[in-house]
Amino acid sequence: MRKCFIVLVLSVLIILKLTSCAPEVKNGYTREHGFEGNISLSGAFALYPLAVVWSEDFKKIHPNVRFNISAGGAGKGIADVLTGMVDIGMVSRDLHEQEVKKGAAPIIVAKDAVICTINPANPNYPAILRRGLSREELLNIFVNKKFKTWKEIDPRFTADPIHVYVRSDAAGAAETWAKFLGNKQEDLQGIGIFGDPGIAQAIKDDIHGIGFNNINYVYNLKTNKVFDRIAVVPLDIDENGRIDENEQFYGTLPELTEAVATGKYPAPPSRELTFVTRNKTESLLLKEFISFVLQKNAQSQLLENGYVPLNETLVKEELNKL
């Protein structure tokens, strides 16, 4: 009995000794190891590829940090961060008033755009390239369902049916596209498809289909050209029935991102992409990561990855929020 008691006492002393030697982790930082811990993100498909790139670069500097990143739409990102499921919600739309009241605190980290997509094998595609589609015509396709066939848009088009594809998940791309048309996501009418990859694939598989996608699901980052079997519908911004020279900026990814940066491509459907935390974060680790993505090196990667960087004034404004 005495021997067991002595063993128990020694065990407790060893545990206490080890515990006292362990570095104290406060908000993801220790003096011994620097930044360490876990960062979880979920949300917008638009931000997912960029978040992966940034996390890999951050880990090169801070190897004791681990990331868990998942895409499921902006709506899921907001829900996850407000319920404490993740540290950061990736959001690609404006925040709703009730979300802000619940503590949603956004930091703008990049810009991109939602673009209208079509199958290049559509027999009307050559004519659409020349004339584009106006906001009013797109409203009558995606919301009012006025046009059932392509010929109803323009008598020069074929009488083939229009197959409209929209997002089935709560998505920033859908909310932004609907806002461009003066409506909300729930007003969009069509075949519901989950996720950006889903809509892109639906358009590739349907020569009569029309939809909308984030830039990264339309343009190949290696070639800067659009992927096979998908194409961009140019916006007839001035609604004069043709695509003028100042509206021709879809040929390559750099042309489109420059148009977004300079405002030639309208907002919406161009938009700001945000990292959202629940209330103003006090975590030193989260502050370091968000600050990292706003720095010049991280922002310089945006163009090559299909995004538009923030200007210096906006970067300072977002850093001040931290």
Side-chain angles (χ1 to χ4, degrees):
M1 184 73 178
R2 179 180 173 82
K3 183 177 181 181
C4 291
F5 177 76
I6 292 173
V7 171
L8 178 61
V9 171
L10 289 174
S11 298
V12 171
L13 289 174
I14 291 171
I15 292 172
L16 290 173
K17 179 66 175 177
L18 291 174
T19 303
S20 65
C21 292
E24 180 185 1
V25 179
K26 185 177 181 180
N27 293 327
Y29 182 83
T30 66
R31 295 181 62 183
E32 291 81 2
H33 300 143
F35 289 99
E36 61 178 320
N38 301 311
I39 299 177
S40 55
L41 304 91
S42 81
F45 284 90
L47 263 173
Y48 175 79
L50 191 53
V52 170
V53 171
W54 280 337
S55 67
E56 291 173 349
D57 289 345
F58 190 77
K59 286 175 65 175
K60 292 175 184 177
I61 305 172
H62 308 290
N64 294 318
V65 176
R66 295 169 297 280
F67 285 86
N68 182 4
I69 308 173
S70 62
K76 179 171 174 26
I78 280 286
D80 285 350
V81 74
L82 291 181
T83 56
M85 294 290 292
V86 298
D87 301 305
I88 296 173
M90 300 181 292
V91 181
S92 52
R93 60 161 172 79
D94 294 338
L95 294 183
H96 301 154
E97 183 179 353
Q98 61 269 31
E99 293 166 346
V100 176
K101 288 181 178 179
K102 291 179 180 178
I107 300 286
I108 302 169
V109 294
K111 292 183 178 183
D112 83 335
V114 180
I115 50 182
C116 190
T117 49
I118 196 174
N119 191 303
N122 187 311
N124 303 298
Y125 179 58
I128 290 174
L129 270 183
R130 294 190 297 271
R131 77 181 293 285
L133 292 179
S134 69
R135 178 185 173 279
E136 185 69 21
E137 289 168 339
L138 291 167
L139 176 66
N140 286 326
I141 292 172
F142 283 94
V143 177
N144 298 332
K145 299 189 72 174
K146 179 180 178 180
F147 300 135
K148 302 294 194 303
T149 69
W150 293 97
K151 195 174 186 66
E152 291 171 350
I153 301 174
D154 190 316
R156 294 171 294 180
F157 290 173
T158 66
D160 295 304
I162 300 174
H163 298 159
V164 182
Y165 293 97
V166 298
R167 291 283 286 272
S168 63
D169 52 314
E175 189 73 24
T176 300
W177 187 246
K179 187 177 180 181
F180 168 58
L181 301 177
N183 287 266
K184 297 180 179 179
Q185 178 176 353
E186 52 264 34
D187 299 317
L188 298 176
Q189 305 293 317
I191 303 167
I193 303 291
F194 179 83
D196 252 309
I199 285 197
Q201 191 60 50
I203 296 298
K204 291 177 182 179
D205 294 340
D206 186 352
I207 66 170
H208 301 309
I210 187 170
F212 51 84
N213 280 100
N214 296 308
I215 291 175
N216 277 317
Y217 295 90
V218 180
Y219 286 84
N220 186 324
L221 298 180
K222 294 181 180 179
T223 65
N224 284 330
K225 299 291 184 67
V226 294
F227 287 110
D228 292 339
R229 296 163 47 217
I230 195 167
V232 180
V233 175
L235 297 182
D236 179 16
I237 298 170
D238 58 11
E239 301 193 353
N240 65 353
R242 65 177 183 272
I243 296 300
D244 299 315
E245 184 176 351
N246 64 323
E247 297 170 321
Q248 294 176 351
F249 40 69
Y250 303 96
T252 65
L253 180 57
E255 289 179 82
L256 178 56
T257 52
E258 182 181 0
V260 171
T262 58
K264 287 184 178 180
Y265 190 79
S270 69
R271 60 184 174 170
E272 296 170 337
L273 304 176
T274 59
F275 278 176
V276 177
T277 60
R278 185 180 181 184
N279 300 316
K280 183 178 179 180
T281 181
E282 297 299 325
S283 166
L284 297 178
L285 176 57
L286 289 186
K287 286 184 178 182
E288 182 68 14
F289 176 60
I290 296 173
S291 176
F292 170 82
V293 306
L294 290 171
Q295 299 303 322
K296 188 173 182 179
N297 286 343
Q299 288 287 306
S300 68
Q301 296 177 308
L302 292 180
L303 288 174
E304 64 188 69
N305 285 287
Y307 301 85
V308 178
L310 309 183
N311 60 45
E312 291 184 9
T313 300
L314 187 52
V315 166
K316 289 179 181 178
E317 291 176 1
E318 299 310 296
L319 284 173
N320 285 337
K321 292 179 182 179
L322 297 175

